[in-house]
Amino acid sequence: MNDTKLNTGIGELFMSPNADEMRGFLRNKKKQMKNKLTTVAEAIDTYVNDGDYLAIGGFGGVRIPTALIHEIIRKEKKNLGFAGHVSTHDCQLLSAGKSFNRCDAAYIVGLEARGLSKNSRRMFESGNVKVTEWSNGALSWRFKAAAMGLPYLPSRVMLGTDTFKHSAAKEVECPFTGQKLAALPALYPDVAILHVHRADVYGNCQIDGILVADDDIAKASKRVIVTTEKIISNEEIRREPGKTVIPYWCVDAVIEMPFGSYPGNMPGEYFSDEEHLKDWLVAEKDEMQLEEFVGHHILSSKDFYEYLEKNGGMNKMKQLMQAEHLY
Amino acid sequence: MNDTKLNTGIGELFMSPNADEMRGFLRNKKKQMKNKLTTVAEAIDTYVNDGDYLAIGGFGGVRIPTALIHEIIRKEKKNLGFAGHVSTHDCQLLSAGKSFNRCDAAYIVGLEARGLSKNSRRMFESGNVKVTEWSNGALSWRFKAAAMGLPYLPSRVMLGTDTFKHSAAKEVECPFTGQKLAALPALYPDVAILHVHRADVYGNCQIDGILVADDDIAKASKRVIVTTEKIISNEEIRREPGKTVIPYWCVDAVIEMPFGSYPGNMPGEYFSDEEHLKDWLVAEKDEMQLEEFVGHHILSSKDFYEYLEKNGGMNKMKQLMQAEHLY
Amino acid sequence: METTYNPMELMITVAARNLEDGAMVVVGTGVPVAAAMLAQMTQSPNLTIMFEAGGIAPLLPTMPISVGDSRTTHKGLKATSMAEIMELCQAGVVDYCFLGGAQIDKYGNLNSTMIGDDYNKPKTRFPGSGGANDLASLCWRTMVVTPQNQKRFANKVDFITTPGFLEGGTSRVEAGLPANTGPYKVITDIGVYGYHEESKAMMLLSLHPGKTLEDVKANAEFDIIIPENYETTVEPSAEELRILREKVDPSGVIIGRG
Amino acid sequence: METTYNPMELMITVAARNLEDGAMVVVGTGVPVAAAMLAQMTQSPNLTIMFEAGGIAPLLPTMPISVGDSRTTHKGLKATSMAEIMELCQAGVVDYCFLGGAQIDKYGNLNSTMIGDDYNKPKTRFPGSGGANDLASLCWRTMVVTPQNQKRFANKVDFITTPGFLEGGTSRVEAGLPANTGPYKVITDIGVYGYHEESKAMMLLSLHPGKTLEDVKANAEFDIIIPENYETTVEPSAEELRILREKVDPSGVIIGRG
């Protein structure tokens, strides 16, 4: 197979896949187990800079760190890069904030069964966003390569397609079998924002249900901000070491933020607020209307609690908890 | 870096790393969820053939499938290949049975803090065993490559050493950074034997504490036999989907075998029987004595229950349970 | 009980019949999950349903809204990561996946990325691959369920998001994709299609009751192979319709689309 | 309280002092875990102890017998796989590892595989790498604790199981191993050694009380660099000895070896 032509994607590689650079960063990063409790505002101020490359946990409308994304919009962070790894409501939010100018896209502008986001499409059709294409698997494995301390992982996806052509992947040959594989460059984000079920003040985190890619994202990213439904004691973490998905040294900031994934679904806790998500779709039809909608819900809310209040507060949350438990 | 010489290990590659061969096997394998309860004797008869390449779960003296290994010796299975992935008491057992003739060695003949196994050394110094060298990480990643459906994984270990030289790894260059990496060929064993804490009759398994490499081994192997401390209902498995480490379709046979890791440690259940393990070391000093010892404990025991009885039965097990709980 | 059916009900029923007992299938929201649920409640009680976000073999209480929402792990056998689902597909464990797209060509290549002729200035931007490229690359058989018309059945898709048989013949394997994988069936509101064994071009397998070869031709830009023998699609049975309407989609979210 | 000490107690104490607070260390059974426990009970309460089999940050009730036994996850922060531990090392998270071996050469290369000159007919077969090769390749600093004699401190090890600085100079990086990693200190019953900045050859850092340069030389086949200035090892304090004897190893399993 040695005369086979090996193709290379023409998409831009936004972040260096060099594992040694991340090693150098981690060597100098303080890894002590210390109390990392802070506020949403403080965490976004401290750890998210204009131009940073951002990774978001969860799955678009499931276990997303909504409170942190709102703060990114409120603080008018700009020119972010971001990993569109099944990005649905989070993509809507960042598009509403015009927060990014480049994107590794696996799934963007769509809202799964809910349809398509008109405003996310405007953002991506504006010509102001550089896009490199990937598949969900490819982006997952790019995070995993980084989490494993590797510059790349081989895979068998994207081969032969325009998705590959507009990616930054490279074809390689297996040194053992000679078969063609798609090498996926490791993705080391500057900052990750995640929402989890439980964490202690040091950042040891537990997640119920699917992990999506949060464990790998936490290890792959230089800085990690975690909101958690609930702070639990370190003693409780130590009761079930097998349940710790993200260990403390990955985490820079911890914020207790009940209903922090609203209007998304938090597995085992509360279901998504489909009414409010429909309101988003309606508001997005018109740019002026969206501006007002975002102004009301996000910009003029001093914090996430106020946003929750505006959407029905505890009473509404109780309904979503009931919906989650199917009664 | 393009003029750098890329080295290749001279060790024998015992198993094909071709992912397509395993894909073909799995396509035809029946994957229905059916009752797979059987006996130790039946399972070894059905799924372990002379000459097979064998992977063993756990960590040498921790969560090992002792009952299954005893049966391999009783049934006089011969010419096995095996993955010496921190193989301590399991290596002692297979050496006592003279069961194998080739080994991917990461850690063999040693017993960690317990010393070295004289008889395992005899086996490996006999010239009758072909050995290829690896590190623990390398063997773990070889299983992981197979579990991921890949023919290889890159890594940064073994480079520059005789371990690499006597391995079957190959140096490759990262297509993105140009750096040298050690490509590790996927390892697809013929058969794996594992011991777990809980399983349902279909083979959905839960493991407490460290996984070592059992999850990857189960996915990498063509056939999988599982002994479990306890059979639980499928309903109980479904209560915590996040706890299922090995899913049913990987598993061919399930046997309920309480104390199935004895004289090894079963995390959270019982500690290792250090007295009996010392008896092994004493017996190994002399080949005749070892033959008698193995005859008494293994060959002449009709099953694993009889072996447990010979070593103190319930009373002894109770003591080991107490030792595990530190009182 | 009404035994006439709408095109959506027919497509879901036909899709469901393709999922044999004991198979493993990765599904998305909407038609695919409806088909898988119907299959499970009819001929394939041991069908293992998986979701790309990490849910494996749930006892689905209702249709999920997201392939990651908590319904996808409800009393499931395993809850894991997206990477692990794709790795299981890569390892060859998964028999079927179900996909759709804005465009499909005669080799089953799918476009869900963009409409337009300049990638950098898309006329319309769609979500992109999501897991579609992965699933179609790695699962054994790709099923497509889609309404059929000239725009969708395009001579050339604007962007190959997801591989079908690429340029037909052996090009898929030559590209490096796993052997013996690829498009299996396309189920539309007009008929059911497969692929020609050698050329890998789309071929009629069965025509839905009341549909004609004219409909097949008028609703595709490319020529669909019409073999000498093709079937007439077996209509949904009263029992299939009852289960679909009462148990799978009682609020008519999917089948209500007609 | 007896404040004289045996060589083992000295070696463990010296090793412990090298583990600063907040560091992360992968340890094996025996001396390494004893040193890490002593460090945690003295100057480094926030030392994170890890085991290659998967245990992270346990509250160790007693010394483990196996790096995989249940003590290694007792009230731990995480219990995971061997692969994940090695991946954390590969990612650059882990500061220290502790190794031993049957032989060590002047560049810190270690042999734990075999004695003899024919690989296929070893005079003595040892366990092999275990995790040693991985840890020494990937962790930032490799510490070796070992008794010192001519046989162990060999001119040429029979087999390089585990990389030190390979052939010295820049050869380690050229082999592809991560930059700025490698042997850090060797702690023996005679002294403490480091490595020369450029040649990467072993160099005396401090001599234990009562030991001489003659002892250093007589107990190594190769020449150890003796710099103009070297220290005298600070003896274990009464407090260190008390903790070591009463809390770390009350039954004297390790320190009893003298």
Side-chain angles (χ1 to χ4, degrees):
Chain A
M1 282 213 187
N2 275 317
D3 51 353
T4 311
K5 187 171 164 277
L6 295 176
N7 297 303
T8 292
I10 60 171
E12 188 174 340
L13 186 55
F14 298 122
M15 300 298 284
S16 164
N18 191 323
D20 280 322
E21 289 170 20
M22 185 63 168
R23 282 185 62 92
F25 176 87
L26 285 174
R27 183 177 198 179
N28 294 318
K29 185 168 178 173
K30 291 269 171 272
K31 293 182 283 277
Q32 272 96 335
M33 222 168 81
K34 60 174 189 196
N35 186 327
K36 294 163 188 167
L37 276 186
T38 182
T39 62
V40 164
E42 184 73 24
I44 296 297
D45 276 347
T46 309
Y47 296 107
V48 182
N49 306 309
D50 285 355
D52 274 355
Y53 189 102
L54 175 72
I56 299 179
F59 194 79
V62 180
R63 205 170 46 64
I64 48 170
T66 317
L68 294 169
I69 309 174
H70 280 198
E71 189 67 15
I72 284 174
I73 297 172
R74 261 196 298 271
K75 290 281 162 62
E76 298 185 345
K77 300 288 175 185
K78 296 292 175 192
N79 301 323
L80 300 177
F82 101 100
H85 182 250
V86 183
S87 188
T88 62
H89 187 55
D90 44 349
C91 184
Q92 274 184 302
L93 287 167
L94 291 178
S95 295
K98 295 190 169 54
S99 311
F100 59 93
N101 64 6
R102 60 204 192 283
C103 179
D104 282 308
Y107 186 93
I108 52 170
V109 316
L111 303 167
E112 296 195 78
R114 297 176 191 104
L116 291 163
S117 158
K118 267 210 160 55
N119 189 58
S120 296
R121 269 165 101 157
R122 272 193 288 268
M123 185 79 176
F124 279 93
E125 292 164 7
S126 69
N128 296 327
V129 181
K130 286 194 282 187
V131 180
T132 303
E133 299 291 323
W134 305 92
S135 63
N136 276 345
L139 266 191
S140 277
W141 287 320
R142 292 187 64 198
F143 288 130
K144 189 172 284 297
M148 291 174 78
L150 293 171
Y152 81 98
L153 271 177
S155 76
R156 307 190 74 179
V157 298
M158 301 203 300
L159 294 161
T161 63
D162 291 323
T163 305
F164 179 90
K165 183 178 164 196
H166 290 277
S167 79
K170 292 185 181 202
E171 289 180 357
V172 293
E173 264 175 23
C174 172
F176 300 97
T177 63
Q179 71 191 124
K180 216 184 281 178
L181 298 162
L184 307 170
L187 176 51
Y188 293 96
D190 292 309
V191 58
I193 55 176
L194 310 172
H195 186 63
V196 304
H197 287 81
R198 291 167 296 281
D200 69 11
V201 298
Y202 309 110
N204 294 295
C205 302
Q206 298 180 346
I207 290 174
D208 297 343
I210 56 170
L211 299 179
V212 195
D214 285 46
D215 50 345
D216 290 328
I217 288 174
K219 287 190 247 174
S221 303
K222 287 189 175 164
R223 303 184 295 279
V224 176
I225 307 172
V226 167
T227 54
T228 174
E229 287 292 321
K230 195 167 183 284
I231 293 286
I232 59 173
S233 68
N234 181 256
E235 203 175 25
E236 204 169 324
I237 290 284
R238 289 183 185 278
R239 223 168 273 148
E240 275 189 274
K243 268 188 110 159
T244 306
V245 170
I246 300 169
Y248 70 89
W249 65 79
C250 293
V251 176
D252 295 273
V254 178
I255 304 108
E256 187 168 34
M257 190 67 251
F259 304 100
S261 179
Y262 175 87
N265 168 217
M266 190 67 185
E269 302 290 334
Y270 45 90
F271 201 63
S272 46
D273 183 353
E274 293 303 319
E275 284 176 48
H276 182 58
L277 289 170
K278 268 190 200 118
D279 291 345
W280 263 92
L281 276 176
V282 172
E284 281 187 341
K285 285 182 182 161
D286 176 86
E287 283 196 80
M288 289 284 286
Q289 201 183 329
L290 178 63
E291 201 171 304
E292 201 179 299
F293 184 83
V294 171
H296 168 69
H297 281 288
I298 302 177
L299 302 181
S300 77
S301 293
K302 69 173 193 299
D303 61 18
F304 198 68
Y305 286 106
E306 194 175 324
Y307 169 68
L308 294 177
E309 280 311 316
K310 284 175 180 169
N311 284 285
M314 260 331 283
N315 186 0
K316 179 59 157 289
M317 298 308 130
K318 200 71 215 170
Q319 289 168 37
L320 298 174
M321 290 165 77
Q322 291 171 351
E324 179 66 5
H325 295 106
L326 299 168
Y327 67 91
Chain B
M1 279 215 187
N2 276 317
D3 51 352
T4 312
K5 186 172 164 275
L6 295 175
N7 297 304
T8 293
I10 61 172
E12 187 174 341
L13 186 54
F14 298 121
M15 299 298 284
S16 164
N18 191 325
D20 280 322
E21 289 170 19
M22 185 64 167
R23 282 184 62 92
F25 177 86
L26 286 174
R27 183 176 197 179
N28 295 318
K29 186 168 177 174
K30 290 267 171 272
K31 292 182 284 281
Q32 271 99 333
M33 220 167 81
K34 58 174 190 197
N35 186 327
K36 296 162 186 169
L37 276 185
T38 181
T39 63
V40 164
E42 183 73 24
I44 296 296
D45 275 347
T46 310
Y47 296 108
V48 182
N49 307 309
D50 284 355
D52 274 354
Y53 189 100
L54 174 72
I56 299 178
F59 194 80
V62 179
R63 206 170 44 65
I64 50 171
T66 317
L68 294 169
I69 309 174
H70 281 197
E71 188 67 15
I72 284 174
I73 298 172
R74 260 195 300 269
K75 291 279 162 63
E76 298 185 346
K77 300 289 175 184
K78 295 292 177 193
N79 301 321
L80 301 178
F82 102 98
H85 182 250
V86 182
S87 188
T88 63
H89 186 56
D90 44 349
C91 183
Q92 273 184 301
L93 287 167
L94 292 179
S95 295
K98 295 191 169 56
S99 312
F100 59 93
N101 64 6
R102 62 203 191 282
C103 179
D104 282 307
Y107 186 94
I108 51 171
V109 313
L111 304 167
E112 297 196 78
R114 298 177 190 104
L116 290 163
S117 159
K118 268 210 161 55
N119 190 58
S120 296
R121 270 165 100 156
R122 273 193 288 269
M123 185 77 177
F124 279 93
E125 290 163 7
S126 69
N128 297 329
V129 181
K130 286 193 282 188
V131 180
T132 303
E133 298 290 322
W134 306 92
S135 63
N136 276 344
L139 266 191
S140 277
W141 287 320
R142 291 187 64 196
F143 288 131
K144 189 171 286 292
M148 291 173 78
L150 293 171
Y152 82 100
L153 271 178
S155 76
R156 307 190 72 180
V157 299
M158 300 202 301
L159 294 160
T161 63
D162 291 324
T163 305
F164 179 92
K165 185 180 163 193
H166 290 278
S167 78
K170 293 187 180 201
E171 289 180 356
V172 292
E173 266 175 22
C174 172
F176 300 98
T177 63
Q179 72 190 122
K180 216 184 279 178
L181 298 161
L184 308 169
L187 176 50
Y188 293 95
D190 292 309
V191 59
I193 55 176
L194 310 172
H195 186 63
V196 304
H197 287 81
R198 290 169 296 281
D200 68 11
V201 298
Y202 308 110
N204 294 294
C205 302
Q206 298 180 345
I207 291 174
D208 297 342
I210 57 171
L211 299 179
V212 196
D214 285 46
D215 49 346
D216 290 329
I217 289 173
K219 287 189 247 176
S221 302
K222 288 188 176 165
R223 302 184 295 279
V224 176
I225 308 173
V226 168
T227 54
T228 175
E229 287 290 321
K230 194 169 185 282
I231 293 286
I232 59 174
S233 67
N234 181 255
E235 204 175 24
E236 204 169 325
I237 290 283
R238 290 184 184 276
R239 224 169 270 149
E240 276 190 274
K243 271 188 107 158
T244 307
V245 170
I246 299 168
Y248 70 89
W249 65 80
C250 293
V251 177
D252 296 272
V254 179
I255 304 109
E256 187 168 36
M257 190 65 252
F259 304 99
S261 179
Y262 175 87
N265 169 214
M266 190 67 184
E269 303 290 335
Y270 45 90
F271 202 62
S272 45
D273 184 352
E274 293 303 318
E275 284 176 47
H276 182 58
L277 289 169
K278 268 189 200 119
D279 291 346
W280 263 92
L281 277 175
V282 171
E284 282 187 343
K285 284 182 184 161
D286 176 87
E287 285 195 80
M288 288 286 284
Q289 202 182 327
L290 178 63
E291 201 172 306
E292 202 177 299
F293 184 84
V294 171
H296 169 68
H297 282 288
I298 302 176
L299 302 181
S300 76
S301 293
K302 71 172 190 299
D303 60 20
F304 198 67
Y305 287 104
E306 193 175 326
Y307 169 68
L308 294 177
E309 279 312 317
K310 284 175 179 169
N311 283 285
M314 258 333 282
N315 187 1
K316 179 56 158 287
M317 298 307 131
K318 199 73 213 168
Q319 289 167 38
L320 298 174
M321 289 166 78
Q322 291 170 353
E324 178 66 4
H325 295 107
L326 300 166
Y327 66 91
Chain C
M1 156 97 191
E2 184 60 73
T3 56
T4 59
Y5 50 88
N6 67 31
M8 188 62 88
E9 290 172 326
L10 176 61
M11 288 194 284
I12 293 172
T13 306
V14 172
R17 289 177 190 153
N18 272 283
L19 301 171
E20 75 273 16
D21 200 31
M24 297 178 73
V25 57
V26 176
V27 299
T29 54
V31 173
V33 74
M37 287 171 80
L38 178 59
Q40 228 178 24
M41 293 177 193
T42 52
Q43 85 279 1
S44 303
N46 288 308
L47 178 72
T48 296
I49 301 178
M50 305 166 76
F51 296 88
E52 68 186 69
I56 298 179
L59 302 179
L60 284 168
T62 63
M63 280 196 289
I65 291 176
S66 159
V67 298
D69 81 33
S70 46
R71 276 52 170 149
T72 65
T73 54
H74 183 75
K75 300 187 184 174
L77 287 182
K78 190 165 163 71
T80 182
S81 64
M82 189 142 73
E84 189 174 355
I85 297 294
M86 297 310 183
E87 287 157 18
L88 291 169
C89 295
Q90 195 162 249
V93 170
V94 180
D95 302 289
Y96 296 97
C97 65
F98 268 99
L99 301 174
Q103 294 177 317
I104 184 170
D105 69 15
K106 71 171 166 177
Y107 296 121
N109 300 303
L110 291 162
N111 175 16
S112 59
T113 301
M114 53 157 280
I115 297 295
D117 46 24
D118 180 359
Y119 172 77
N120 295 307
K121 285 217 163 30
K123 254 171 61 184
T124 312
R125 173 74 211 198
F126 291 119
S129 159
N133 183 297
D134 308 304
L135 299 172
S137 296
L138 305 172
C139 296
W140 290 104
R141 291 171 162 181
T142 300
M143 310 261 282
V144 172
V145 181
T146 179
Q148 182 178 344
N149 58 51
Q150 282 255 348
K151 255 170 89 177
R152 267 181 201 273
F153 277 51
N155 217 3
K156 190 176 181 318
V157 298
D158 289 3
F159 190 102
I160 301 184
T161 309
T162 296
F165 287 114
L166 298 178
E167 293 151 44
T170 57
S171 60
R172 184 181 161 101
V173 175
E174 281 154 23
L177 292 168
N180 302 316
T181 58
Y184 178 58
K185 284 189 183 168
V186 181
I187 298 161
T188 78
D189 46 348
I190 293 170
V192 179
Y193 307 94
Y195 292 85
H196 185 271
E197 208 175 324
E198 279 178 25
S199 72
K200 305 295 184 189
M202 205 182 286
M203 184 171 75
L204 181 66
L205 295 181
S206 81
L207 208 54
H208 294 338
K211 299 293 176 181
T212 65
L213 290 182
E214 225 10 82
D215 295 326
V216 171
K217 289 175 192 171
N219 288 288
E221 258 184 24
F222 53 87
D223 288 337
I224 292 175
I225 301 170
I226 311 290
E228 230 168 285
N229 299 308
Y230 55 86
E231 315 273 318
T232 300
T233 310
V234 176
E235 300 191 312
S237 70
E239 179 66 359
E240 283 167 327
L241 288 173
R242 189 186 63 75
I243 293 171
L244 183 55
R245 292 168 187 172
E246 290 176 14
K247 300 204 170 164
V248 175
D249 189 13
S251 40
V253 184
I254 305 301
I255 57 180
R257 292 184 200 159
Chain D
M1 158 100 190
E2 184 61 71
T3 57
T4 59
Y5 51 86
N6 69 30
M8 189 60 90
E9 290 172 326
L10 176 61
M11 288 193 286
I12 293 171
T13 306
V14 173
R17 289 177 190 153
N18 272 282
L19 301 171
E20 75 274 14
D21 200 31
M24 298 178 74
V25 58
V26 177
V27 300
T29 54
V31 174
V33 75
M37 287 171 80
L38 178 58
Q40 228 178 24
M41 292 177 192
T42 53
Q43 86 280 0
S44 303
N46 289 306
L47 178 73
T48 296
I49 301 177
M50 304 165 76
F51 296 87
E52 69 186 69
I56 298 179
L59 302 179
L60 284 167
T62 62
M63 283 195 289
I65 291 176
S66 158
V67 299
D69 81 31
S70 47
R71 274 56 169 146
T72 64
T73 53
H74 183 75
K75 298 186 185 174
L77 288 182
K78 190 164 161 73
T80 181
S81 65
M82 189 141 74
E84 189 174 356
I85 297 293
M86 297 312 184
E87 288 158 17
L88 291 169
C89 295
Q90 194 161 251
V93 170
V94 181
D95 301 290
Y96 297 98
C97 66
F98 268 98
L99 303 173
Q103 294 177 317
I104 184 169
D105 69 16
K106 70 169 167 178
Y107 297 120
N109 300 305
L110 292 162
N111 175 15
S112 58
T113 302
M114 54 154 283
I115 298 294
D117 45 24
D118 180 359
Y119 171 78
N120 294 308
K121 284 217 158 40
K123 254 171 62 185
T124 312
R125 172 74 211 198
F126 292 119
S129 160
N133 183 298
D134 308 304
L135 299 172
S137 295
L138 304 173
C139 297
W140 290 104
R141 291 170 161 181
T142 301
M143 311 261 282
V144 172
V145 182
T146 179
Q148 181 179 345
N149 58 51
Q150 283 253 347
K151 254 171 89 177
R152 267 180 201 274
F153 276 52
N155 218 4
K156 190 176 181 317
V157 297
D158 290 1
F159 191 100
I160 301 183
T161 310
T162 296
F165 287 114
L166 299 177
E167 293 151 44
T170 56
S171 61
R172 183 180 161 100
V173 176
E174 281 153 22
L177 292 168
N180 302 314
T181 57
Y184 177 58
K185 284 189 183 168
V186 181
I187 297 160
T188 78
D189 48 347
I190 293 171
V192 179
Y193 308 94
Y195 293 86
H196 186 272
E197 211 176 321
E198 278 177 25
S199 74
K200 306 294 185 190
M202 205 182 287
M203 183 172 75
L204 181 66
L205 294 181
S206 82
L207 209 53
H208 294 338
K211 300 295 179 182
T212 66
L213 290 182
E214 227 7 83
D215 295 328
V216 171
K217 288 173 194 171
N219 288 287
E221 256 184 25
F222 54 86
D223 289 337
I224 292 176
I225 300 171
I226 311 291
E228 233 169 281
N229 299 306
Y230 55 86
E231 314 272 318
T232 301
T233 310
V234 178
E235 300 190 309
S237 69
E239 180 65 1
E240 284 168 329
L241 288 173
R242 188 187 63 77
I243 293 171
L244 184 55
R245 291 167 186 171
E246 291 177 10
K247 301 204 170 166
V248 175
D249 188 15
S251 41
V253 184
I254 306 299
I255 58 180
R257 292 182 201 160

